[in-house]
């Protein structure tokens, strides 16, 4: 893949993830406010708590995605972008277009899922 295109994909995805993180932070703040406003009954206070836990899980996944994009950017700068970390084989451009942070070939990911 052309390095300029790879950079464009990585940075575009990074911006998208940052926007989602801002949205998740706003949702978490709203959930905390709702929890504070909830009546004292267990039923009324459980829903905001469950939503807060869900928001935290989403934020964690988004932060993991951001870290994967950082690693992709490092590989791009090092000249190793687009090569499987496991086998050293080239990752097809179509896969990198779909997931600019891809570190493995599709068959390697499927093999991990079966294990």
């Amino acid at each position: 893949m052309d390095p300029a295109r790879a950079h464009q994909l990585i940075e575009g995805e990074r911006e998208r993830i940052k926007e989602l993180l801002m949205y998740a932070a706003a949702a978490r703040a709203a959930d905390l406010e709702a929890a504070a406003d909830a009546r004292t009954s267990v039923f009324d206070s459980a829903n905001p708590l469950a939503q807060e836990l869900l928001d935290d899980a989403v934020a964690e996944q988004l932060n993991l995605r951001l870290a994967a994009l950082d690693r992709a950017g490092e590989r791009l700068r090092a000249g190793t972008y687009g090569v499987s970390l496991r086998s050293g084989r080239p990752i097809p451009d179509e896969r990198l277009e779909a997931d600019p942070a891809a570190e493995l070939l599709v068959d390697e990911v499927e093999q991990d899922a079966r294990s």
Side-chain angles (χ1 to χ4, degrees):
M1 171 173 284
D2 174 62
R5 176 66 179 147
H7 178 75
Q8 178 186 29
L9 289 169
I10 292 167
E11 291 307 313
E13 180 71 356
R14 183 188 319 278
E15 289 305 311
R16 187 180 77 82
I17 297 301
K18 285 181 179 179
E19 286 178 22
L20 289 171
L21 275 167
M22 287 189 321
Y23 176 79
R28 187 174 197 288
D31 292 341
L32 289 172
E33 185 177 321
D37 292 343
R39 290 183 232 142
T40 58
S41 80
V42 173
F43 179 77
D44 289 340
S45 63
N47 191 32
L49 178 60
Q51 188 61 47
E52 182 182 343
L53 292 172
L54 179 61
D55 292 341
D56 288 348
V58 168
E60 181 180 347
Q61 289 301 309
L62 291 171
N63 280 311
L64 289 172
R65 179 69 177 161
L66 211 52
L69 290 163
D70 288 343
R71 290 191 306 273
E74 291 169 13
R75 288 192 309 278
L76 184 60
R77 286 185 290 283
T80 59
Y81 181 76
V83 176
S84 168
L85 296 180
R86 181 170 301 148
S87 65
R89 294 183 297 168
I91 299 173
D93 287 353
E94 298 81 22
R95 173 148 171 73
L96 295 170
E97 287 280 343
D99 180 5
E103 298 177 327
L104 301 172
L105 296 164
V106 170
D107 64 334
E108 294 168 339
V109 172
E110 289 172 349
Q111 183 180 19
D112 287 352
R114 288 190 299 266
S115 299

